[in-house]
Amino acid sequence: MPRIVQGLGNHASPMKRRRYASFMRPCAASADESFLIEDHEPVYLSTWKTGGLAGKVAAARRELSDCRACPRDCGVDRLADQRGVCHTGRLAYVASAFPHFGEEDCLRGRQGSGTIFFSFCNLKCVFCQNWDISQRPAGREHTAEEIAALMLDLQDRGCHNINFVTPEHVAAEVVEAIALAIPAGLGLPIVYNTSAYDGLASLRLMDGLVDIYMPDFKFWDPQTARRLGRAIDYPGVARAAIAEMHRQVGDLRFGPDGLARRGVLVRHLVMPGLGEETAAILGWLADQLGPDTFVNIMGQYRPAHRVPDNERYVDIDRSPARSDIEAAFGAARKAGLWRFDGR
């Protein structure tokens, strides 16, 4: 793992920052020139150059002292290593960090998306396919310096971006790590990959640090959210969070290489029997964010975690049918959406 050195020359050169834009895999949805960014550097570089990082780090640490990092509002003192719903104290658990080739084409390119998977989650989805890391202490605790070193290592391996997966409950630790990685030479866009169950204060900390938000808008009905995610307030929280993300970065835009540079990419997992909620979510995106919202309608749901052979969840104990997926795309097009992940 590379050591963080303030102002490390071989990382900090502009030529090396640009080198990571090579070996790209084009994204078909980027073809419209109105969504093209010719010359873009990660927004955090401007924040760093204007002296804005120190204030964000201080605010992040204050948030941990009476934890309001996410909508659970536990109020525990995580600076003293107290733990609430997310089971995370002062340090973030990292389950894994590697170049990921299963993300959207406009993120993975040819060299992969540099994913850092955090353990634990502030949701308790009964169907979670990653339950072995979202509901358990997978991996180990990492200091901010260690997370920053992971970021720089992924950059050195040629990844096209740094992709924080499930960061909602460790937003403060993410800010600390970014603040260390930037002066050490980080030059890749940051992807904030969430369940959309985000605290607004945490998202405002990310303003000026994150270029690409990737929320997964799961449920529309509060009772569905309570039953399947243990969070009755999820729909309202998700709407407010995604609106704030869009306020910060706008619609998804691409570089000439076809890779995402800045904006919001919304995921939605199609689930059996929840077609009306899918239609409501897609309609809200078109109405409130606009028809140019980039959406990945995902069909890979499969029963997992607490669902298989459980009579309480028999209604979602199957994969979606082809007709479910077609209905979701039909609802999206009817709402006016047209920019979809092409896989």
Side-chain angles (χ1 to χ4, degrees):
M1 183 178 292
R3 183 168 61 92
I4 305 296
V5 180
Q6 189 81 0
L8 188 64
N10 67 323
H11 279 299
S13 71
M15 181 177 294
K16 192 163 188 180
R17 291 185 193 274
R18 290 193 297 268
R19 179 172 71 82
Y20 303 103
S22 60
F23 303 111
M24 306 301 189
R25 179 173 183 163
C27 178
S30 68
D32 190 320
E33 291 188 1
S34 61
F35 300 104
L36 180 67
I37 299 179
E38 287 286 353
D39 190 16
H40 176 72
E41 70 172 20
V43 67
Y44 55 72
L45 293 178
S46 176
T47 301
W48 172 46
K49 292 170 187 174
T50 56
L53 283 181
K56 286 188 176 293
V57 171
R61 289 173 180 161
R62 286 195 299 272
E63 187 175 82
L64 285 178
S65 67
D66 178 32
C67 191
R68 312 288 171 182
C70 84
R72 297 292 186 182
D73 285 339
C74 293
V76 298
D77 183 359
R78 286 173 58 184
L79 292 176
D81 209 36
Q82 295 178 5
R83 298 163 192 239
V85 172
C86 72
H87 304 293
T88 303
R90 177 61 184 94
L91 302 179
Y93 277 85
V94 175
S96 61
F98 60 95
H100 197 323
F101 293 90
E103 300 287 64
E104 286 78 354
D105 287 349
C106 58
L107 296 178
R108 64 181 176 179
R110 295 189 184 277
Q111 301 292 95
S113 178
T115 49
I116 297 176
F117 281 80
F118 293 108
S119 295
F120 295 120
C121 180
N122 59 355
L123 288 178
K124 306 296 177 186
C125 295
V126 299
F127 55 86
C128 183
Q129 295 175 12
N130 291 326
W131 63 270
D132 54 330
I133 66 173
S134 70
Q135 306 302 319
R136 326 184 147 174
R140 66 172 179 85
E141 292 182 322
H142 280 59
T143 65
E145 183 172 80
E146 288 176 317
I147 296 171
L150 291 175
M151 298 163 70
L152 293 172
D153 179 64
L154 290 166
Q155 175 171 271
D156 283 343
R157 294 168 70 180
C159 293
H160 303 302
N161 46 66
I162 300 300
N163 185 341
F164 290 118
V165 185
T166 320
E168 301 91 324
H169 58 300
V170 292
E173 290 86 349
V174 165
V175 171
E176 291 178 314
I178 292 172
L180 288 173
I182 295 168
L186 186 68
L188 300 180
I190 288 174
V191 181
Y192 204 70
N193 182 345
T194 91
S195 68
Y197 197 52
D198 294 275
L200 289 180
S202 293
L203 290 178
R204 288 168 187 146
L205 285 176
M206 298 302 155
D207 194 0
L209 300 178
V210 169
D211 270 301
I212 300 165
Y213 283 104
M214 188 160 61
D216 179 1
F217 198 160
K218 298 175 182 293
F219 316 113
W220 183 259
D221 185 275
Q223 294 306 318
T224 303
R226 179 193 62 79
R227 176 175 174 250
L228 300 183
R230 304 295 189 261
I232 196 169
D233 60 343
Y234 174 88
V237 166
R239 289 192 292 269
I242 294 171
E244 171 61 18
M245 295 173 188
H246 191 265
R247 181 196 68 78
Q248 291 182 22
V249 299
D251 293 326
L252 192 65
R253 286 155 288 162
F254 305 85
D257 47 43
L259 289 186
R261 291 291 193 274
R262 185 169 173 81
V264 176
L265 189 165
V266 182
R267 287 174 164 176
H268 175 66
L269 181 65
V270 177
M271 296 182 63
L274 297 181
E276 290 185 4
E277 295 198 33
T278 290
I281 287 169
L282 296 170
W284 181 86
L285 291 173
D287 267 351
Q288 298 300 312
L289 304 191
D292 294 334
T293 303
F294 193 102
V295 181
N296 182 5
I297 296 174
M298 303 185 295
Q300 67 259 43
Y301 171 83
R302 57 179 172 77
H305 193 25
R306 301 185 185 280
V307 172
D309 303 317
N310 187 330
E311 63 181 13
R312 295 175 63 189
Y313 306 115
V314 65
D315 55 318
I316 58 169
D317 194 10
R318 67 171 177 86
S319 296
R322 181 173 180 175
S323 58
D324 295 323
I325 307 301
E326 291 173 347
F329 274 99
R333 293 189 178 96
K334 182 177 180 181
L337 297 170
W338 63 279
R339 302 179 71 208
F340 307 115
D341 181 59
R343 289 179 297 166

